[in-house]
Amino acid sequence: MFLKCMLAAAAIVTSAVMEAAPFMTNVYGRDYVLLNGKWSAFTDLYDQGRKMEVYKNRKPQSNEEFYEYSFDGAMRLDVPGDWNSQYPELKYYEGTMWYARHFDAPTPNSFRNQDSEAAAITATGRTFLYFGAVSYRCMVYLNGELIASHEGGFTPFQVEVTGLLKDKDNFLCLEVSNRRTPDAIPAMNFDWWNYGGITRDVMLVSVPQVFVEDYFIRLDKNEPDLIHASVKLSCEVEREVVVEIPELKVRQAIMTDASGCGEVSFRVKKLKRWSPDAPKLYDVSVSGETDRVCEKIGFRNIVAEGERILVNGEPVFMRSVSFHEEIPQRMGRAFSQADASMLLSEAAALGVNMVRLAHYPQNEYTVRLAEQMGILLWEEIPVWQGINFTDEGTRAKAQTMLSEMIYRDRNRCAVGYWGVANETKPSAERNAFLDSLLHTGRSIDATRLYVAAFDLAYFEKSTGHFEMHDDFISNLDVVAVNKYMGWYHPWPVNPSDAVWDVAAGQPLIISEFGGEALYGQSGSDEMAGSWSEDYQARLYRDNLEMFRHIPNLAGVSPWVLFDFRSPYRFHPSNQDGWNRKGLVSDRGQRKKAWYIMRDWYASISRGE
Ligand code: GCB
């Protein structure tokens, strides 16, 4: 039978929005082999490598042949990992890095078999090369040929390599660049470290000829017992796919249509919904004729109603915090399960029920662990200030990034919010850009709350209120404002007189507030310039007082959990390349403001 299958091997991943998921969902639930480990690498600041065809890995065969590069004897870099933290001379490196490694084609038995039934198929099936993230642009060459390219440093991509692998000694080479450009997302500057490299897992994934490529299993937005399941096969065939949730006694067959897609909705009895207080997850399997993918999925409703956010029908105040995907002690990108555990356990200690993953999609380990721990997530794409809203290519990139983020994580009930932008100014171009993102996002997932963070709420002398004038906000489910009272903005009135009139009728989250302090530094609690823990603590107390006068306040998210590295921050003694707004220092020490926030969250949990 002739099957119309997506032949990813031939396709170069571009920035166009794809209708089908750009990669298989739940890659960790498949049969895979990791290609992590030490890779050979060299820098190429002047971009000469492509011209010299270094991806062909040629060696001189005669006296006439001479090559000014070699992967033999080159630097060795850990994958996954950013390069900046691996050698002191790469700390500030922004440019091209060539990565390479050799590998033998895995035998069927070498695939890590998550669900044993699939092993037998690997011999006759298809193989994909999957990258969790490469920062920021990359070209992938296999055995001397270009097979894929990708732009965007925080989302996965895959390419089919069936038929392209030799039994022995395949040569995989990546041309990676983290050079900042005006049309990129983020663009020319941003307040975090521009880590470059193959920053997440690299995998060879084995699937049968026809496999369940994508599925979306979720609770209805409003109804407490209605589950919708959509599936998509890798080929355009009519076949049966079965969704099972044994604990709920669910076994639902779906017949796919001629495009390989199908869906079903069904009611369940005695569903225990996931919530931050009780993060119940169910074993779910999705089986095609020749494959079976399993994972844990939770079910919950989240809606914005008037000025409140309701989780499972109950108003929930978002006690949030933000962190970057960075382990400050290691001064490098976080990428592992252990890293996720470090970051999230420190967030949990603060008493949060939500984390804003700043400012880009973080690795899947973090998202999955947060879900197990009962932490709601706000995930966003790095549309962070300075984005070129007039450039169509940039808009297409943002749409692709948003789709990739949503396709990867839409089965994670912990994700309550998709964030489309951070700190943008009103303009027709900005509005059209953000509108296109909302449209893209809602067409892939209409069950989440769409949010953006703004920074243009100001104290209006004539009314004596904080106001914000941005018509775009009515398109959002939740409005968020970053406001640094006491840090970038002196107090115009006493905090107890600071009344807000922003986004009335909609839920408002204060998505950032805070100020810088050096751990251990004591000093005036009146002077921001003391960089003291005392001033930061006072600033927190003042802001918490102000929050009492925000009628539609639905949550707060202090900026930020840990001090983080940023080239933006060059005060020599107080910052030295670190943003010091952390509640916790770069060495993991809790500052005074941490305790204030912890106590405030505890009192909110007690309903005070
Ligand atoms: C902001 C940005 C955040 C910065 C922060 C700061 O408004 O959204 O990325 O790091 O301010 O520290 O100034």
Side-chain angles (χ1 to χ4, degrees):
M1 183 175 52
F2 175 72
L3 296 177
K4 268 173 91 185
C5 296
M6 190 190 82
L7 265 186
I12 300 298
V13 184
T14 65
S15 47
V17 184
M18 298 178 215
E19 281 181 11
F23 40 77
M24 60 186 85
T25 189
N26 184 19
V27 71
Y28 291 103
R30 317 274 176 164
D31 284 359
Y32 64 86
V33 180
L34 289 170
L35 292 183
N36 294 344
K38 293 277 182 202
W39 290 46
S40 299
F42 51 76
T43 56
D44 179 14
L45 192 58
Y46 292 167
D47 286 312
Q48 297 301 297
R50 205 182 298 170
K51 207 163 47 195
M52 290 159 74
E53 298 184 321
V54 303
Y55 50 87
K56 295 203 167 149
N57 196 30
R58 275 191 289 245
K59 309 262 161 46
Q61 303 295 318
S62 69
N63 263 347
E64 283 96 71
E65 281 188 321
F66 169 71
Y67 299 114
E68 284 186 277
Y69 70 85
S70 170
F71 283 100
D72 300 336
M75 159 172 69
R76 305 281 281 163
L77 285 176
D78 283 325
V79 171
D82 64 87
W83 62 58
N84 313 73
S85 62
Q86 299 193 43
Y87 287 91
E89 56 272 39
L90 295 179
K91 178 172 172 184
Y92 293 106
Y93 186 67
E94 293 186 311
T96 297
M97 180 78 76
W98 289 91
Y99 278 84
R101 67 162 288 161
H102 297 262
F103 67 93
D104 294 343
T107 57
N109 289 338
S110 55
F111 282 96
R112 178 178 307 201
N113 200 6
Q114 300 287 302
D115 169 29
S116 56
E117 286 169 32
I121 330 156
T122 53
T124 55
R126 302 163 66 179
T127 308
F128 288 81
L129 186 57
Y130 182 100
F131 296 88
V134 179
S135 178
Y136 166 83
R137 281 179 203 87
C138 94
M139 312 279 268
V140 182
Y141 305 84
L142 179 66
N143 297 326
E145 300 294 333
L146 175 68
I147 57 165
S149 68
H150 185 260
E151 178 169 350
F154 304 100
T155 41
F157 60 98
Q158 70 180 30
V159 55
E160 183 162 8
V161 294
T162 313
L164 301 180
L165 293 183
K166 302 185 288 181
D167 285 348
K168 295 278 169 211
D169 200 28
N170 293 284
F171 181 67
L172 178 59
C173 182
L174 261 68
E175 179 186 356
V176 181
S177 167
N178 66 339
R179 194 167 285 126
R180 286 166 295 123
T181 60
D183 62 341
I185 303 174
M188 292 307 283
N189 59 65
F190 37 92
D191 190 17
W192 65 87
W193 207 263
N194 182 22
Y195 291 114
I198 306 175
T199 49
R200 294 187 193 152
D201 290 335
V202 182
M203 306 152 94
L204 274 174
V205 189
S206 170
V207 285
Q209 277 298 330
V210 182
F211 63 98
V212 178
E213 183 179 82
D214 184 27
Y215 53 85
F216 184 21
I217 302 173
R218 73 281 183 190
L219 195 59
D220 184 79
K221 196 162 170 63
N222 298 295
E223 304 219 22
D225 59 352
L226 180 63
I227 293 179
H228 305 288
S230 329
V231 298
K232 182 177 181 311
L233 294 171
S234 56
C235 300
E236 296 179 357
V237 281
E238 295 174 18
R239 294 239 171 129
E240 188 179 83
V241 175
V242 178
V243 174
E244 286 172 279
I245 315 175
E247 204 182 325
L248 292 171
K249 303 199 170 40
V250 167
R251 189 180 187 285
Q252 283 285 335
I254 306 175
M255 235 4 241
T256 59
D257 61 18
S259 68
C261 298
E263 54 193 14
V264 69
S265 298
F266 50 92
R267 292 201 186 263
V268 287
K269 291 206 177 81
K270 298 195 181 142
L271 176 70
K272 292 190 188 119
R273 284 178 289 178
W274 182 99
S275 74
D277 293 335
K280 169 70 185 161
L281 298 173
Y282 288 91
D283 284 317
V284 176
S285 68
V286 185
S287 315
E289 268 176 29
T290 47
D291 68 336
R292 181 156 181 265
V293 201
C294 304
E295 64 176 320
K296 290 195 180 294
I297 293 185
F299 302 95
R300 57 96 199 89
N301 312 103
I302 187 164
V303 292
E305 199 179 274
E307 298 184 338
R308 300 284 163 249
I309 296 165
L310 309 185
V311 178
N312 300 332
E314 299 292 325
V316 174
F317 185 84
M318 299 297 148
R319 310 186 307 270
S320 177
V321 75
S322 285
F323 54 71
H324 273 288
E325 190 181 39
E326 180 183 73
I327 300 296
Q329 294 92 333
R330 196 171 68 218
M331 299 204 283
R333 269 257 177 278
F335 55 78
S336 65
Q337 205 142 12
D339 292 345
S341 171
M342 191 293 265
L343 295 167
L344 287 165
S345 54
E346 195 58 33
L350 194 65
V352 304
N353 58 10
M354 172 178 143
V355 164
R356 177 183 178 202
L357 295 173
H359 275 299
Y360 38 76
Q362 300 196 10
N363 63 73
E364 225 179 309
Y365 294 118
T366 304
V367 176
R368 287 177 182 270
L369 183 59
E371 181 161 276
Q372 287 165 32
M373 293 170 67
I375 297 177
L376 276 162
L377 294 173
W378 157 334
E379 268 202 275
E380 66 192 45
I381 52 170
V383 170
W384 188 95
Q385 297 178 10
I387 298 295
N388 185 351
F389 292 125
T390 57
D391 185 288
E392 300 240 329
T394 305
R395 185 195 299 192
K397 275 177 220 173
Q399 288 171 317
T400 300
M401 284 179 195
L402 185 73
S403 322
E404 290 172 342
M405 172 175 79
I406 297 176
Y407 277 121
R408 195 194 69 177
D409 287 341
R410 63 184 175 162
N411 285 306
R412 304 276 68 77
C413 68
V415 178
Y417 310 80
W418 299 123
V420 294
N422 182 68
E423 302 191 342
T424 61
K425 291 179 186 41
S427 73
E429 292 78 14
R430 191 281 315 252
N431 291 357
F433 192 103
L434 296 193
D435 256 336
S436 77
L437 291 180
L438 292 178
H439 182 261
T440 301
R442 286 180 174 138
S443 70
I444 307 171
D445 178 10
T447 70
R448 269 29 184 240
L449 302 176
Y450 284 81
V451 64
F454 301 89
D455 60 335
L456 295 176
Y458 282 110
F459 182 74
E460 178 55 56
K461 271 199 197 127
S462 59
T463 59
H465 290 164
F466 280 86
E467 297 176 9
M468 184 169 84
H469 301 282
D470 190 333
D471 293 339
F472 188 78
I473 62 174
S474 59
N475 299 322
L476 296 164
D477 300 303
V478 173
V479 181
V481 168
N482 302 340
K483 192 72 206 168
Y484 286 89
M485 292 312 301
W487 190 251
Y488 300 122
H489 313 284
W491 288 96
V493 287
N494 279 333
S496 50
D497 298 327
V499 175
W500 279 55
D501 180 12
V502 172
Q506 291 182 274
L508 176 70
I509 293 182
I510 297 292
S511 38
E512 293 180 25
F513 69 98
E516 306 212 8
L518 269 174
Y519 174 75
Q521 182 134 309
S522 52
S524 159
D525 73 356
E526 308 252 310
M527 283 274 300
S530 70
W531 296 79
S532 64
E533 283 193 55
D534 307 274
Y535 181 77
Q536 190 193 37
R538 155 95 187 262
L539 178 151
Y540 268 75
R541 275 193 292 269
D542 288 347
N543 275 274
L544 299 184
E545 173 58 31
M546 177 179 76
F547 296 157
R548 288 157 32 92
H549 312 283
I550 306 183
N552 53 341
L553 190 67
V556 305
S557 196
W559 188 258
V560 58
L561 187 56
F562 296 98
D563 288 353
F564 62 93
R565 298 176 74 212
S566 168
Y568 240 62
R569 310 289 165 181
F570 37 81
H571 187 290
S573 48
N574 295 324
Q575 295 176 309
D576 195 21
W578 289 87
N579 183 316
R580 295 284 181 202
K581 294 192 187 71
L583 292 168
V584 179
S585 79
D586 56 309
R587 307 258 168 116
Q589 300 123 323
R590 293 167 179 171
K591 303 182 192 172
K592 287 180 181 164
W594 185 91
Y595 294 91
I596 292 170
M597 214 49 228
R598 193 258 328 249
D599 292 349
W600 196 71
Y601 279 164
S603 70
I604 289 194
S605 303
R606 291 192 299 268
E608 290 166 13

